[in-house]
Amino acid sequence: MKKYFFLTLFLLSIMLFASGCIDDLVPVDEDTTQDMSAYEFELFLNNSYDNGTFIPTHTFYLSKNDSAKVVSILENESSIQIIPMEDLGNQGETVTNIVVLGEIANNTKATPENIESFSSMSSALDINYTISDDVIRGQKYVFVNFEQPVTGFVAYTMTTAMGQDFIYLTTPPSVVRYVLPEGYTTGNSLIGKVKPDPDQVYYDSEGRENLVWTNEVETSSFLSILGSYSPEDGDSIEPMPKMISVKYYTKNAPRDLTIAAVILGLVAFTIFFRYRNERKKLEKIRGEFESQLSNSGKKGNDKN
């Protein structure tokens, strides 16, 4: 009986092991459908040129859930680097639904005319790419590598870790724009701030608040000192990524918070006032009781 038991257990172990290996070896079909309708390909080129040189421009359309739609305008780039603020509870993909509107060419320039023509394309560019990730200096990086350099729009959806508290590490130099959801705002010192202060704040045609940071390049002071004593060109020092964070909330949130604070204050005052009255009543009853005891003691002494 024991022999059959161990034999059955051995066969089950082999089956489980084999099933695990099969899952590892059989390729999984991935949905590579490009959903262009998920993005806004806007001709946003504010401060995107520095003495004729194009600066990569990234727009983050923030949402009310744990995701952000990113639309970047690039010039002859074969890869994009994403530094996500990782959510440990999220086991899914960080970057999904990659859509490219543009051209494959080393000589294609990101002129306003070309970008405008790309924004009106009716179909996405058919180009192969790979997604990889790596940990550099303790921070996770996601790389999207194209088979050839592209110029134009590169859009993707990325997961965010903290809902309506969005943090992104820039890849300098770049122009970065946050588009808050309609009906949302930021900047209240009690509810949530934006750091650093944006270079420009405006509202678009849909009433959404837009925050823009221009040419975010930051080199650490230590690296700058080394560069000043280095025989090599100081421009070869790689700029440090810069963190841009924003906590956004509904426009009614400050008013609602004020109303809630007033209500809590009234409740606290009512409780305190009632407590003080009850305490006075108890002290009065105690005084009367002690007075009665004192009078009773005097009467007993007088009788004696």
Side-chain angles (χ1 to χ4, degrees):
M1 191 70 179
K2 290 184 178 180
K3 180 192 296 184
Y4 290 112
F5 172 77
F6 286 111
L7 179 61
T8 303
L9 184 63
F10 177 72
L11 292 175
L12 287 174
S13 301
I14 293 178
M15 292 174 62
L16 291 174
F17 177 77
S19 63
C21 293
I22 292 175
D23 288 340
D24 291 337
L25 295 175
V26 175
V28 179
D29 293 333
E30 295 184 356
D31 183 12
T32 58
T33 302
Q34 297 177 322
D35 183 12
M36 292 178 53
S37 62
Y39 304 110
E40 300 178 36
F41 297 99
E42 180 186 352
L43 186 66
F44 178 77
L45 296 172
N46 293 17
N47 301 308
S48 296
Y49 296 93
D50 184 10
N51 294 326
T53 302
F54 178 76
I55 301 173
T57 302
H58 311 282
T59 298
F60 297 81
Y61 294 90
L62 307 183
S63 67
K64 304 173 186 178
N65 51 34
D66 297 334
S67 68
K69 298 184 185 303
V70 187
V71 179
S72 299
I73 304 177
L74 307 175
E75 181 179 64
N76 293 326
E77 293 288 348
S78 58
S79 66
I80 56 176
Q81 174 181 293
I82 305 166
I83 310 176
M85 297 291 100
E86 198 171 12
D87 185 0
L88 297 179
N90 178 35
Q91 300 299 324
E93 295 179 298
T94 304
V95 178
T96 57
N97 189 29
I98 299 176
V99 176
V100 180
L101 296 185
E103 292 184 0
I104 301 174
N106 289 327
N107 297 322
T108 303
K109 299 297 182 182
T111 62
E113 294 77 17
N114 287 339
I115 299 301
E116 184 176 8
S117 65
F118 297 151
S119 65
S120 60
M121 293 178 67
S122 58
S123 60
L125 184 66
D126 186 13
I127 183 171
N128 294 326
Y129 60 86
T130 59
I131 300 178
S132 61
D133 60 76
D134 194 6
V135 177
I136 303 175
R137 294 189 293 270
Q139 174 62 51
K140 179 179 179 180
Y141 285 67
V142 177
F143 301 94
V144 180
N145 300 304
F146 300 102
E147 60 178 352
Q148 297 182 52
V150 298
T151 294
F153 293 93
V154 176
Y156 57 90
T157 300
M158 63 181 297
T159 57
T160 58
M162 294 174 283
Q164 296 173 14
D165 191 358
F166 183 73
I167 299 176
Y168 181 75
L169 293 177
T170 66
T171 304
S174 60
V175 176
V176 177
R177 176 175 63 148
Y178 287 179
V179 180
L180 304 186
E182 185 177 357
Y184 280 70
T185 187
T186 185
N188 187 288
S189 58
L190 295 178
I191 302 179
K193 292 183 178 181
V194 54
K195 295 181 180 179
D197 293 333
D199 298 310
Q200 183 183 9
V201 179
Y202 69 93
Y203 289 86
D204 58 22
S205 59
E206 298 183 18
R208 299 174 301 186
E209 188 170 352
N210 288 237
L211 314 172
V212 182
W213 293 264
T214 304
N215 200 15
E216 290 297 329
V217 178
E218 182 177 272
T219 304
S220 68
S221 58
F222 177 71
L223 291 179
S224 299
I225 294 173
L226 288 181
S228 63
Y229 292 100
S230 174
E232 299 179 357
D233 187 0
D235 294 337
S236 63
I237 299 177
E238 181 181 357
M240 297 294 291
K242 187 172 185 178
M243 183 174 69
I244 298 178
S245 65
V246 59
K247 184 175 181 61
Y248 52 102
Y249 42 83
T250 60
K251 293 181 179 179
N252 295 330
R255 182 197 63 187
D256 297 340
L257 181 63
T258 301
I259 294 175
V262 170
I263 293 174
L264 288 175
L266 291 175
V267 171
F269 178 78
T270 302
I271 294 174
F272 174 76
F273 185 75
R274 183 175 179 180
Y275 168 77
R276 190 179 66 174
N277 287 342
E278 292 295 331
R279 183 174 179 179
K280 287 183 177 180
K281 290 179 181 179
L282 290 175
E283 289 178 350
K284 183 178 179 181
I285 293 173
R286 180 180 178 181
E288 292 177 353
F289 180 73
E290 291 178 349
S291 178
Q292 291 178 359
L293 289 177
S294 178
N295 292 334
S296 298
K298 291 181 179 179
K299 290 180 179 180
N301 292 331
D302 293 340
K303 288 181 180 180
N304 295 332

XYZ file of all heavy atoms in Angstrom, residues 11 28 63 179 226 236 263:
50
model
N 4.416 10.347 -9.405
C 3.830 10.670 -10.706
C 3.186 12.053 -10.699
O 3.292 12.814 -11.664
C 2.794 9.605 -11.096
C 3.365 8.208 -11.404
C 2.234 7.216 -11.660
C 4.291 8.274 -12.624
N 3.350 32.941 -25.237
C 2.037 33.507 -24.979
C 1.761 34.569 -26.020
O 2.593 35.447 -26.263
C 1.961 34.125 -23.561
C 0.586 34.721 -23.321
C 2.276 33.071 -22.527
N -4.958 60.791 -15.013
C -6.328 60.303 -14.898
C -6.720 60.176 -13.430
O -5.921 60.416 -12.534
C -6.468 58.946 -15.601
O -5.711 57.960 -14.920
N -1.151 67.309 -17.845
C -2.524 67.725 -18.104
C -3.408 67.053 -17.057
O -3.557 65.824 -17.060
C -2.973 67.344 -19.524
C -4.423 67.784 -19.764
C -2.060 67.978 -20.565
N 33.600 68.305 -10.520
C 34.505 67.386 -11.199
C 34.714 67.803 -12.647
O 35.815 67.728 -13.182
C 33.939 65.960 -11.144
C 33.981 65.251 -9.791
C 33.399 63.851 -9.926
C 35.406 65.181 -9.254
N 30.062 66.636 -21.530
C 29.965 65.180 -21.598
C 29.406 64.588 -20.310
O 29.084 63.414 -20.262
C 31.345 64.579 -21.887
O 32.248 64.875 -20.819
N -17.340 71.957 10.556
C -18.260 71.039 11.238
C -17.569 70.335 12.392
O -18.118 70.237 13.502
C -18.827 70.017 10.234
C -19.720 70.720 9.215
C -19.609 68.929 10.960
C -20.215 69.815 8.110
